[in-house]
């Protein structure tokens, strides 16, 4: 595997220092994902910008975490499933919901399950959805705006998932209690 550096505030390229300082102020530390993305300042900036926009969608925090976890689970991203499990717990997402996604099981809440399935299907089919895929999501109580907002979440997590796959980003201590590993096939 090609080695990628995980930069700190002190070692980051000059063009990434502002981004990492912002992240440090927001989270109290620089997650290794952003430290790795600092190699490409535009990627780090884009990831944060998309994350901010994703936070402005019509989805609740729980729904945003369902999307983030589901996409990361489908993409087999150890780092992001671990990190978002911790983030979800910190945001009071029901642990049964988190565990169901991590285990690739159905969520007990029908609407959240429809969201999990839809986000996973978008990834699996690379956006080439059948009318039935969209209709099932709409029938669960979501709307057309949210169909497109799922794409925003998929884009954001694809950026981080692929970065972690290529760079082998080490898991932060802050997320270690929720460590997760993809099945041997790397995707489930």
């Amino acid at each position: 595997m090609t080695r990628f550096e995980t930069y700190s505030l002190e070692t980051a390229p000059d063009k990434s220092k502002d981004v990492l300082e912002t992240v440090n102020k927001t989270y109290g530390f620089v997650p290794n994902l952003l430290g790795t993305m600092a190699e490409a300042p535009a990627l780090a900036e884009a990831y944060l910008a998309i994350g901010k926009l994703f936070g402005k969608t019509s989805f609740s925090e729980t729904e945003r975490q369902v999307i983030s976890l589901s996409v990361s689970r489908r993409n087999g991203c150890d780092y992001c499933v671990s990190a978002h499990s911790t983030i979800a717990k910190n945001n009071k997402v029901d642990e049964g919901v988190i565990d169901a996604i991590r285990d690739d099981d159905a969520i007990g809440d029908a609407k959240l399950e429809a969201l999990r399935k839809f986000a996973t299907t978008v990834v699996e089919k690379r956006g080439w959805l059948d009318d039935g895929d969209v209709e099932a999501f709409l029938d669960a109580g979501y709307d057309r705006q949210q169909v497109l907002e799922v794409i925003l979440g998929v884009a954001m997590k694809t950026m981080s998932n692929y970065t972690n796959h290529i760079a082998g980003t080490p898991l932060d201590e802050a997320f270690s209690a929720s460590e997760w590993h993809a099945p041997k096939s790397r995707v489930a």
Side-chain angles (χ1 to χ4, degrees):
M1 174 180 282
T2 303
R3 309 280 291 155
F4 283 82
E5 186 164 346
T6 302
Y7 293 100
S8 66
L9 282 170
E10 297 75 33
T11 64
D14 288 340
K15 291 183 178 181
S16 292
K17 286 190 186 287
D18 288 345
V19 172
L20 296 189
E21 286 173 5
T22 298
V23 169
N24 190 51
K25 286 178 190 170
T26 303
Y27 301 108
F29 74 107
V30 176
N32 289 337
L33 169 64
L34 274 299
T36 301
M37 285 181 167
E39 184 76 38
L43 175 62
E45 287 182 47
Y47 182 73
L48 291 177
I50 290 174
K52 190 175 223 177
L53 292 170
F54 190 51
K56 293 180 179 182
T57 64
S58 62
F59 290 118
S60 69
E61 179 62 31
T62 293
E63 290 168 321
R64 288 192 301 274
Q65 291 305 320
V66 167
I67 294 166
S68 295
L69 280 163
S70 298
V71 171
S72 298
R73 172 67 166 86
R74 182 61 186 101
N75 283 330
C77 185
D78 298 351
Y79 183 99
C80 286
V81 171
S82 301
H84 279 284
S85 295
T86 299
I87 293 165
K89 287 175 189 173
N90 291 343
N91 282 287
K92 311 292 187 239
V93 175
D94 182 278
E95 290 202 33
V97 170
I98 298 166
D99 291 342
I101 297 169
R102 287 169 60 102
D103 296 338
D104 200 28
D105 288 334
I107 298 171
D109 178 288
K111 189 171 182 184
L112 291 179
E113 174 59 10
L115 179 59
R116 182 191 74 83
K117 280 184 176 178
F118 186 74
T120 300
T121 301
V122 169
V123 173
E124 289 172 346
K125 292 186 174 183
R126 294 177 176 87
W128 294 103
L129 304 184
D130 302 321
D131 288 343
D133 298 324
V134 175
E135 290 304 318
F137 185 64
L138 297 174
D139 289 347
Y142 291 103
D143 60 35
R144 286 185 173 95
Q145 174 182 329
Q146 291 169 317
V147 168
L148 301 176
E149 289 174 341
V150 167
I151 295 168
L152 182 62
V154 169
M156 179 185 75
K157 292 317 319 167
T158 300
M159 292 169 72
S160 61
N161 295 167
Y162 287 12
T163 296
N164 294 323
H165 294 172
I166 292 168
T169 309
L171 188 63
D172 303 88
E173 181 65 31
F175 307 132
S176 64
S178 298
E179 189 169 1
W180 177 87
H181 294 283
K184 295 249 186 240
S185 67
R186 300 304 303 166
V187 292

